[in-house]
Amino acid sequence: MAALGGDGLRLLSVSRPERQPESAALGGPGPGLCCWVSVFSCLSLACSYVGSLYVWKSELPRDHPAVIKRRFTSVLVVSSLSPLCVLLWRELTGIQPGTSLLTLMGFRLEGIFPAALLPLLLTMILFLGPLMQLSMDCPCDLADGLKVVLAPRSWARCLTDMRWLRNQVIAPLTEELVFRACMLPMLAPCTGLGPAVFTCPLFFGVAHFHHIFEQLRFRQSSVGSIFLSAAFQFSYTAVFGAYTAFLFIRTGSQGIVHRRVSEGMIGI
């Protein structure tokens, strides 16, 4: 498969700042400063994404349609501006990978079909286990469920359901843009491609901790259960983030639609 962005991330990883003599380093930022700028840029993006969810003051829970609509506006604004953070990072670090910003972020038509098809097949294989178990335990329920999923009326209802649009459309697209397409190019020169696969998801996992405050606010469960749920959520979202980061690097494309369950998202 093609490397990310027409070798964009590969170029970034091999062009990461190396230690230079003091005289040569006077003309630009050193490797330590470049890494700090990369980490700070990623942290700023994560905080901006999560912070945008709370710019609207409301006493309503997060699943209320009015709250969801407002948060749609916030995250779409932050996601639209997130590429500017990558441009600013390039100016501050002086790293020029020799490729366009869109290509670097994985937006390209070259190789789009294998980039979309192969990860989809791989993800389907990962879900075969629980699906087979469900079919053996409840064959009738599985058949009925497939009929409901494939029914046109079911899809029509989904398109008018704000929670469905949040969980299956807006959140996956904006999270992939901010936490994958923008963060990976900034981390790769500092850590290298391999470590970036496991470093980038940490920002994604930590960003889910904001659920603790909403759950405590509305007293949805005991304190112990809330923190235990948050720790578990951090674990599997970090693993999922590493999986998608690996696919991003191997395919070189953001043309991948990931299925999410509502508990697995940062929570618009």
Side-chain angles (χ1 to χ4, degrees):
M1 298 181 186
L4 179 59
D7 289 334
L9 271 191
R10 190 177 300 279
L11 288 172
L12 279 175
S13 67
V14 299
S15 64
R16 53 181 165 169
E18 303 290 347
R19 293 190 179 277
Q20 301 175 349
E22 184 177 354
S23 58
L26 291 177
L33 179 59
C34 287
C35 285
W36 278 111
V37 171
S38 299
V39 172
F40 180 77
S41 299
C42 293
L43 183 62
S44 299
L45 273 180
C47 292
S48 299
Y49 188 97
V50 175
S52 69
L53 305 177
Y54 295 95
V55 296
W56 310 98
K57 293 184 178 180
S58 176
E59 298 299 325
L60 300 172
R62 63 183 291 265
D63 288 335
H64 193 280
V67 175
I68 295 176
K69 289 179 181 179
R70 291 174 179 175
R71 291 186 171 186
F72 276 4
T73 303
S74 300
V75 297
L76 288 174
V77 170
V78 171
S79 300
S80 300
L81 296 177
S82 58
L84 297 179
C85 184
V86 184
L87 286 175
L88 179 60
W89 166 82
R90 288 174 61 168
E91 292 298 322
L92 292 175
T93 59
I95 297 176
Q96 301 295 331
T99 185
S100 68
L101 178 64
L102 290 178
T103 302
L104 186 65
M105 293 171 59
F107 294 98
R108 62 192 181 96
L109 294 179
E110 180 186 358
I112 185 64
F113 291 108
L117 180 61
L118 295 179
L120 177 61
L121 293 176
L122 178 59
T123 305
M124 291 171 64
I125 292 173
L126 294 177
F127 278 93
L128 277 181
L131 287 176
M132 288 297 296
Q133 184 66 43
L134 180 61
S135 65
M136 290 185 293
D137 294 341
C138 312
C140 296
D141 292 343
L142 179 62
D144 294 339
L146 289 175
K147 291 180 180 179
V148 172
V149 170
L150 298 177
R153 290 184 179 180
S154 176
W155 284 97
R157 286 194 298 268
C158 289
L159 294 176
T160 59
D161 185 350
M162 297 304 298
R163 292 182 60 182
W164 186 91
L165 290 174
R166 176 192 65 188
N167 297 343
Q168 308 299 335
V169 180
I170 301 298
L173 291 177
T174 56
E175 288 176 10
E176 291 304 311
L177 173 62
V178 173
F179 289 88
R180 231 74 63 196
C182 291
M183 289 191 183
L184 269 174
M186 294 191 291
L187 287 175
C190 182
T191 64
L193 288 180
V197 170
F198 299 99
T199 304
C200 188
L202 296 179
F203 293 95
F204 185 55
V206 170
H208 290 77
F209 282 136
H210 80 95
H211 285 302
I212 295 176
F213 302 106
E214 288 204 30
Q215 290 172 349
L216 290 174
R217 177 186 174 190
F218 292 100
R219 299 179 181 180
Q220 296 178 356
S221 184
S222 65
V223 175
S225 298
I226 290 174
F227 278 93
L228 182 62
S229 174
F232 178 73
Q233 192 176 44
F234 166 80
S235 300
Y236 74 75
T237 50
V239 171
F240 177 81
Y243 169 70
T244 54
F246 173 76
L247 292 179
F248 185 15
I249 289 175
R250 292 295 296 170
T251 61
S253 177
Q254 276 293 337
I256 303 169
V257 178
H258 301 289
R259 180 185 180 275
R260 310 283 188 85
V261 292
S262 59
E263 292 81 8
M265 292 179 298
I266 290 175
I268 296 176

